[in-house]
Amino acid sequence: MKKFITIGREYGAGGNKIAQLVGKELGIPVYDSEIIDLAAKESGLSPDFIKSTEQNLSSGWLYTLLLGSGYSTPGTGTGRIGLGPQSLNVPLADQVFNAQRNTIIDLAKKGPCVLVGRCSDYVLRHCEEISRSEILNVFIYAPLADKVKRAVEENGLDPATAERDVKLIDKRRANHYNTFTERTWGNKNHYDILVNSSLLGIEKTARMIAQIARES
């Protein structure tokens, strides 16, 4: 069985609900907003601040720092990134990413789990304590019309506002992921499974992912 399931998702595609159902099927914890709370403790920033800014700010500063640091470099290292006193000069976006990265690694070290978003597929892939064979990377997408419909039903938005939000949030998620991972959000080469949640629906999609995790 795959021990770690990472779920990237388009906004409105039902990825959060699917993650919860996958965790329930496999009997393992799911970490989504919990990553924000734990990262807040790691960084000293407030949870509300992290939630409101984690995908609104982008920076390549951390990537440059890692390449020239004595800590880990993307693709090769695993250690916690301790910025120390110099963190006062670190852009807030990088502080948030750094804290979430450390949190994701700490959670994975505790045991099998489902991790939602926040570049978790990239973070775990470069953690030497975890074998690539133990990870199942999933990306959930759906047609725009279905994402807008879900946003309307779940958030009480009018269709025009919902469509605007779907496009904007997906753009922010892509910018965030592309900046901090040097990869492309949603690219098939970076995931084991890409699934259209509208094809089978939320529950059946979750069961399919859980079954793949058990048997692969």
Side-chain angles (χ1 to χ4, degrees), residues 195-209:
V195 58
N196 177 354
S197 59
S198 295
L199 184 63
L200 296 176
I202 300 299
E203 294 186 359
K204 288 184 179 180
T205 297
R207 287 199 294 270
M208 179 188 71
I209 293 171

Side-chain angles (χ1 to χ4, degrees), residues 10-18 140-157 162 166 196-203 205:
E10 293 182 343
Y11 181 66
N16 303 73
K17 289 187 176 180
I18 290 171
I140 308 294
Y141 67 97
L144 177 60
D146 292 342
K147 294 190 293 182
V148 171
K149 180 180 179 182
R150 184 170 288 112
V152 169
E153 293 174 348
E154 295 183 358
N155 302 324
L157 303 176
V166 166
N196 177 354
S197 59
S198 295
L199 184 63
L200 296 176
I202 300 299
E203 294 186 359
T205 297

Side-chain angles (χ1 to χ4, degrees), residues 169-188:
I169 293 174
D170 278 352
K171 182 178 180 179
R172 287 174 175 173
R173 288 179 177 177
N175 287 342
H176 178 86
Y177 184 92
N178 297 349
T179 296
F180 286 106
T181 70
E182 298 288 301
R183 305 200 306 188
T184 303
W185 186 69
N187 186 310
K188 65 180 181 180

